[in-house]
């Protein structure tokens, strides 16, 4: 359980740092642009945030693989045929479903992988909420993380 907790702390720290720097970079770009570039700013924000979320879910994928194949602290099982091997794409899909808190249930974590799964759902919800707040501020015409001049 300690390994799952430490892995969770590490992946949350990595993904939160990535998310902050993506939002900060978008905010700085918006601050340098003209006010008339409102639609472009919104497109930039939504595009960058989408890429960041997918990348962060992929980082969780790598941590799931490490936990299962490297540390052997759990497993990912399919609710369908038992003889079908779990692929990298299955792990990535599982991570995206968790990060977005969708929770389909066709892939199930076993062992201490359940802890990391729960942390990913909480963290994904937090990052999606922060991103939504950021987008609303951009829609209002501001550069949320840039210093006011």
């Amino acid at each position: 359980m300690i390994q799952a907790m430490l892995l969770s702390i590490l992946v949350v720290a990595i993904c939160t740092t990535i998310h902050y720097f993506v939002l900060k970079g978008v905010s700085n770009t918006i601050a340098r642009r003209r006010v008339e570039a409102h639609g472009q700013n919104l497109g930039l924000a939504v595009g960058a945030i989408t890429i960041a979320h997918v990348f962060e879910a992929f980082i969780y994928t790598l941590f799931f693989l490490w936990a299962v194949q490297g540390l052997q602290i759990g497993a990912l099982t399919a609710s369908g045929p038992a003889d079908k091997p779990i692929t990298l794409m299955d792990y990535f899909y599982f991570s995206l479903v968790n990060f977005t808190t969708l929770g389909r249930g066709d892939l199930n974590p076993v062992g201490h992988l359940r802890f990391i799964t729960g942390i990913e759902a909480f963290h994904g919800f937090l990052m999606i909420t922060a991103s939504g707040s950021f987008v609303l501020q951009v829609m209002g015409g501001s550069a949320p993380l840039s210093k006011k001049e």
Side-chain angles (χ1 to χ4, degrees):
M1 181 65 163
I2 297 297
Q3 290 175 319
M5 294 168 103
L6 293 174
L7 280 178
S8 295
I9 291 168
L10 183 59
V11 71
V12 164
I14 290 168
C15 290
T16 301
T17 301
I18 290 168
H19 206 79
Y20 172 77
F21 283 111
V22 167
L23 295 182
K24 181 71 172 155
V26 168
S27 189
N28 289 342
T29 300
I30 290 170
R32 288 190 301 268
R33 288 184 169 178
R34 303 179 324 275
V35 177
E36 298 82 31
H38 188 69
Q40 293 173 352
N41 292 341
L42 182 58
L44 172 65
V46 170
I49 288 168
T50 300
I51 291 168
H53 283 285
V54 170
F55 186 67
E56 291 159 18
F58 186 72
I59 290 173
Y60 270 96
T61 300
L62 298 177
F63 273 78
F64 284 135
L65 283 168
W66 183 18
V68 171
Q69 296 177 359
L71 300 174
Q72 299 176 346
I73 60 173
L76 188 61
T77 62
S79 57
D83 59 339
K84 182 180 176 272
I86 305 293
T87 66
L88 176 64
M89 189 61 197
D90 292 323
Y91 277 94
F92 188 42
Y93 162 78
F94 176 72
S95 182
L96 284 169
V97 166
N98 283 315
F99 196 85
T100 60
T101 69
L102 181 61
R104 301 273 305 156
D106 52 341
L107 294 169
N108 302 303
V110 177
H112 295 301
L113 196 64
R114 293 178 301 163
F115 180 81
I116 303 168
T117 299
I119 294 297
E120 182 184 23
F122 168 74
H123 188 234
F125 179 74
L126 185 63
M127 294 296 94
I128 290 168
T129 302
S131 297
S133 174
F134 184 88
V135 168
L136 287 173
Q137 291 178 64
V138 169
M139 289 174 76
S142 69
L145 296 175
S146 293
K147 294 180 182 178
K148 309 275 190 258
E149 294 182 15

